Amino acid sequence: KIFKAIFADYNLNQHQVVGEFNGIINCYSLNAKDEFGNDLYAQISKRGGKLIMFDYQKVCEENQEKLSQDKCQEIGVKFLKDLGIKNMQAVWCEDNGEMVTLNFAYKQQGVIVYPDLIKLNICKNTGVVFGLEGTSYYLNHTNRDIASAKINSEQALNSVNQDFMVEEIRLALIPKGNDKEVLTYEISGENQD
């Protein structure tokens, strides 16, 4: 029922549980086909009924009008909200012309929380989400007690090479080792093109 509800707009049929995946997160493996025989494979967690991953094995159709990366981000945020996943921000994007791969991270108190990461693949021609990988998010997601930064952003910028053209600075919580997280300043920009 969860699988059918999530993909109600995909015009799928022949829905079936095809097995079980017992790994870091135990899941039911499901499969369905669209009207053209393209498979959509998914894993739904046994505990909680969460969509852990899916792969829609359809070709992203050619189209002259392609959606922008910003529009694909909007589509991704809505898709995640529809799954009950809120406060996500796109933090990385790869665009191959037909498909956009976006990494979304949880944002709490203005801090990007990188351990809580979900990857989406979105077809730029149709706006259809073609894939999701959410294992990291479901293994790590929790509300955290995030301490204040010990240095301010100006002090962090003093550590950056002067030739570096800073475009953005923001707080980010990053994993360190297997069980520790560290509050950092993430600084992005350009150096020599």
Side-chain angles (χ1 to χ4, degrees):
K1 285 180 180 178
I2 293 168
F3 179 65
K4 286 181 178 180
I6 291 170
F7 299 106
D9 295 338
Y10 283 64
N11 296 319
L12 300 175
N13 55 58
Q14 302 177 32
H15 300 80
Q16 58 182 333
V17 175
V18 293
E20 296 181 20
F21 175 78
N22 295 315
I24 296 172
I25 299 175
N26 295 330
C27 298
Y28 292 107
S29 300
L30 299 103
N31 191 63
K33 293 185 180 297
D34 68 14
E35 59 206 316
F36 304 106
N38 299 302
D39 286 302
L40 190 147
Y41 172 77
Q43 291 179 341
I44 305 286
S45 66
K46 290 181 178 180
R47 183 177 293 174
K50 305 298 183 185
L51 178 65
I52 303 302
M53 67 77 61
F54 87 91
D55 183 24
Y56 189 19
Q57 298 174 347
K58 180 179 179 178
V59 175
C60 187
E61 296 112 15
E62 291 288 331
N63 190 340
Q64 296 296 330
E65 290 269 332
K66 294 192 184 336
L67 299 173
S68 69
Q69 287 181 11
D70 287 343
K71 183 62 178 171
C72 289
Q73 285 180 23
E74 287 176 30
I75 290 166
V77 167
K78 182 185 181 316
F79 186 85
L80 293 172
K81 278 185 181 175
D82 290 346
L83 293 174
I85 302 168
K86 298 176 182 156
N87 301 322
M88 301 298 283
Q89 180 175 326
V91 293
W92 181 84
C93 179
E94 181 181 335
D95 185 340
N96 73 9
E98 302 298 321
M99 189 80 69
V100 170
T101 300
L102 290 160
N103 284 353
F104 287 88
Y106 180 64
K107 190 171 183 179
Q108 180 183 327
Q109 298 166 244
V111 177
I112 300 296
V113 182
Y114 276 104
D116 300 10
L117 200 67
I118 294 180
K119 182 187 293 186
L120 292 181
N121 293 323
I122 301 172
C123 176
K124 286 183 70 175
N125 301 317
T126 61
V128 174
V129 180
F130 271 36
L132 173 145
E133 171 47 53
T135 304
S136 180
Y137 176 85
Y138 284 110
L139 287 177
N140 297 302
H141 180 62
T142 185
N143 280 326
R144 293 161 172 85
D145 183 15
I146 300 175
S148 297
K150 292 181 180 176
I151 65 172
N152 62 37
S153 59
E154 271 186 33
Q155 290 170 305
L157 287 171
N158 287 336
S159 299
V160 176
N161 183 315
Q162 296 303 313
D163 296 333
F164 189 74
M165 301 293 290
V166 175
E167 293 174 356
E168 182 179 14
I169 182 168
R170 62 186 178 193
L171 285 169
L173 197 64
I174 62 170
K176 184 176 182 183
N178 290 332
D179 59 353
K180 191 172 180 185
E181 296 175 342
V182 179
L183 184 64
T184 65
Y185 281 99
E186 180 180 44
I187 303 169
S188 59
E190 261 187 49
N191 185 23
Q192 298 178 357
D193 297 323

